[in-house]
Amino acid sequence: MSNKFRIRLAVLSFLLLVVSVAGSPYLALYQMRDAIAREDYDVLNEYIDYDALRENLKGQFTVQVTEEMSRDSKYRKGPLGGGAATLLVATLVGRLVDVFVQPHVIETLLRNGTALDPPRRSRGTVPLQPRIESGYDGMNRFVVAFVRGNRSEDTTRLVLRRQWLFVWKVTSISVDASRLRSRLRSRLRSCRSPRVGRGVSPRRPLPNPAAV
């Protein structure tokens, strides 16, 4: 084997490695979509870091719930102030996180471009499909953005992080804030009764992200 052939073989091997590493998040997304199409949720679960996703959503939802309560004078000045309000925030955030840290939420996001329910449409019209933008955000972070409007808060982002050289897992979802806020307002209005003020949790559970 000549030295020239060895050099070519080494260069070719290096290029194949680079292409494989660079394309690994795209392959992960393809395999996630394929698992969803086959309804193989055991495979889909392998691509989700549930601990990291839980912490990410907990932070997002805490901020959103706290902001909505601060805008509502009935929470600032009413019986749900102080410790009761803190307890209510923790309760709502905990329930929201439990709803969203599920494989079917990733399925809904990859199918419809939103972690919440798809936007309503008139009868007979074609549903609005989001514009999908994806790419690296650093060496070990890959972002898939589902863009539905001109505002950043109308965009849902799915973030994958590199675990090993070729292994990527979902670690965070930035839920479209504008639609999440509207659902939080509805949920908070339902929590204004004296029952909640006495430390009793709201009567109806959250069955899925569309009901948030």
Side-chain angles (χ1 to χ4, degrees):
M1 185 182 294
S2 65
N3 289 334
K4 183 178 295 185
F5 179 78
R6 290 176 179 175
I7 293 174
R8 289 178 178 176
L9 183 60
V11 171
L12 179 60
S13 300
F14 176 76
L15 291 176
L16 288 175
L17 177 62
V18 170
V19 170
S20 299
V21 171
S24 57
Y26 296 97
L27 178 60
L29 283 173
Y30 170 80
Q31 292 173 331
M32 290 169 64
R33 293 182 184 275
D34 181 64
I36 290 171
R38 294 184 289 106
E39 298 184 353
D40 190 341
Y41 296 103
D42 289 335
V43 172
L44 181 60
N45 283 333
E46 295 176 0
Y47 291 92
I48 305 173
D49 185 337
Y50 284 104
D51 291 336
L53 183 58
R54 178 177 291 275
E55 289 302 311
N56 170 263
L57 291 174
K58 183 179 179 180
Q60 286 187 65
F61 294 152
T62 298
V63 171
Q64 292 289 345
V65 172
T66 303
E67 287 181 352
E68 286 305 313
M69 291 182 67
S70 67
R71 294 189 184 101
D72 194 325
S73 61
K74 293 186 178 181
Y75 284 103
R76 294 198 309 269
K77 303 176 182 179
L80 286 178
T86 301
L87 178 61
L88 179 58
V89 169
T91 300
L92 286 177
V93 168
R95 296 176 69 201
L96 284 167
V97 169
D98 288 340
V99 167
F100 274 83
V101 183
Q102 300 288 340
H104 69 81
V105 173
I106 305 298
E107 176 184 6
T108 301
L109 177 57
L110 291 177
R111 287 186 185 275
N112 303 317
T114 175
L116 301 172
D117 55 310
R120 295 180 180 179
R121 63 183 190 277
S122 303
R123 182 178 299 178
T125 61
V126 178
L128 178 63
Q129 295 297 318
R131 185 176 75 256
I132 301 177
E133 301 174 352
S134 59
Y136 279 90
D137 183 19
M139 287 292 296
N140 300 315
R141 189 171 186 266
F142 189 85
V143 180
V144 184
F146 301 88
V147 184
R148 289 190 175 275
N150 296 323
R151 301 177 302 174
S152 61
E153 62 182 13
D154 293 328
T155 300
T156 300
R157 292 177 177 84
L158 179 73
V159 177
L160 295 90
R161 283 194 176 275
R162 192 193 304 272
Q163 306 290 317
W164 298 99
L165 189 60
F166 299 103
V167 179
W168 293 80
K169 290 191 176 185
V170 175
T171 58
S172 66
I173 301 172
S174 63
V175 182
D176 28 354
S178 60
R179 300 174 64 213
L180 177 61
R181 281 199 297 268
S182 66
R183 284 155 177 77
L184 286 176
R185 294 187 191 106
S186 175
R187 296 300 300 178
L188 288 172
R189 282 195 296 269
S190 70
C191 294
R192 290 173 180 167
S193 67
R195 287 172 55 86
V196 180
R198 291 196 296 270
V200 180
S201 60
R203 185 177 303 172
R204 296 181 61 186
L206 296 174
N208 55 58
V212 175

